[in-house]
């Protein structure tokens, strides 16, 4: 089957697997954060949207930083504690589902949370997020991919419509 026919049928991207540049472009153009986490919930890799959707410091070094710290979780900043050690971590749906997916070795799709996060300007903002967690093996190690979409605009618009 030629590549044009394969691509037009939307069956697979297999013919692009050998193109690291193309796959990086795609990953960085997706409007969601794609975060690779290890067993300690530390960032191993991430795509560019994390820089515009989250981040509480400019040009922050994020590798090996725990998830909540990397995305500016208000609790980690206000309590000055590591992600996983704040008074709210045991109730954090994002953390609970990430650990659950890792331990149970099963994906979790389209969960939602609403929580305050700090942005690069140091402003605390309410964000409404939809996320999925996908566990997988790669080169003898086990990881999870966390895909986060900011749905704040949709939630706020819906709330305004309900108020009217």
């Amino acid at each position: 089957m030629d590549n044009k026919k394969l691509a037009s049928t939307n069956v697979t991207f297999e013919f692009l697997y050998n193109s690291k540049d193309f796959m990086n472009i795609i990953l960085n153009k997706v409007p969601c954060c794609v975060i690779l986490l290890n067993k300690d919930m530390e960032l191993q890799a991430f795509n560019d949207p994390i820089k515009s959707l989250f981040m509480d410091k400019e040009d922050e070094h994020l590798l090996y930083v725990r998830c909540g710290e990397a995305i500016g979780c208000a609790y980690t900043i206000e309590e000055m504690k590591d992600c996983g050690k704040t008074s709210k971590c045991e109730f954090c749906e994002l953390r609970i589902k990430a650990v659950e997916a890792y331990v149970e070795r099963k994906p979790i799709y389209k969960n939602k949370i609403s929580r305050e996060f700090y942005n690069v300007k140091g402003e605390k903002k309410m964000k409404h997020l939809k996320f999925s967690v996908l566990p997988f093996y790669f080169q003898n190690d086990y990881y999870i991919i966390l895909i986060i979409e900011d749905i704040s605009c949709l939630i706020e618009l819906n709330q305004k419509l309900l108020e009217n």
Side-chain angles (χ1 to χ4, degrees):
M1 183 179 281
D2 69 60
N3 286 345
K4 283 186 181 180
K5 183 165 177 132
L6 187 64
S8 69
T9 61
N10 199 22
V11 173
T12 183
F13 281 99
E14 188 172 330
F15 68 99
L16 297 172
Y17 286 162
N18 292 328
S19 174
K20 291 178 186 175
D21 291 337
F22 185 83
M23 295 308 274
N24 279 329
I25 290 168
I26 295 278
L27 195 58
N28 287 318
K29 294 294 180 185
V30 172
C32 302
C33 290
V34 179
I35 303 170
L36 176 66
L37 298 168
N38 66 10
K39 65 179 173 38
D40 298 319
M41 300 298 129
E42 297 170 334
L43 274 71
Q44 302 297 294
F46 52 89
N47 65 344
D48 286 348
I50 196 173
K51 296 173 187 173
S52 59
L53 294 176
F54 295 108
M55 306 256 310
D56 62 324
K57 299 178 194 115
E58 285 191 59
D59 299 321
E60 187 174 20
H61 179 74
L62 296 177
L63 286 182
Y64 308 110
V65 171
R66 290 182 186 251
C67 184
E69 297 154 33
I71 63 176
C73 171
Y75 303 127
T76 63
I77 293 168
E78 291 169 358
E79 292 184 22
M80 297 187 333
K81 293 184 177 177
D82 294 339
C83 175
K85 297 180 180 175
T86 76
S87 63
K88 305 291 184 187
C89 289
E90 67 182 295
F91 309 108
C92 174
E93 277 296 305
L94 189 62
R95 181 173 183 73
I96 291 166
K97 295 298 181 187
V99 171
E100 181 181 313
Y102 186 90
V103 170
E104 295 181 11
R105 310 278 203 254
K106 67 177 187 178
I108 295 171
Y109 297 104
K110 298 181 181 179
N111 277 243
K112 294 178 184 170
I113 62 166
S114 295
R115 156 115 43 87
E116 292 179 313
F117 294 87
Y118 281 89
N119 66 19
V120 71
K121 297 174 187 170
E123 303 164 329
K124 186 163 62 168
K125 302 252 182 188
M126 176 61 75
K127 289 192 181 248
H128 305 278
L129 308 174
K130 181 167 61 172
F131 68 93
S132 296
V133 188
L134 310 164
F136 69 98
Y137 278 104
F138 181 70
Q139 296 180 347
N140 297 324
D141 284 320
Y142 199 69
Y143 299 95
I144 58 172
I145 291 236
L146 179 58
I147 301 169
I148 305 173
E149 180 181 5
D150 187 348
I151 58 169
S152 298
C153 290
L154 294 172
I155 299 295
E156 291 164 8
L157 183 60
N158 193 33
Q159 288 171 345
K160 285 180 184 176
L161 287 171
L162 291 174
E163 289 171 4
N164 292 333

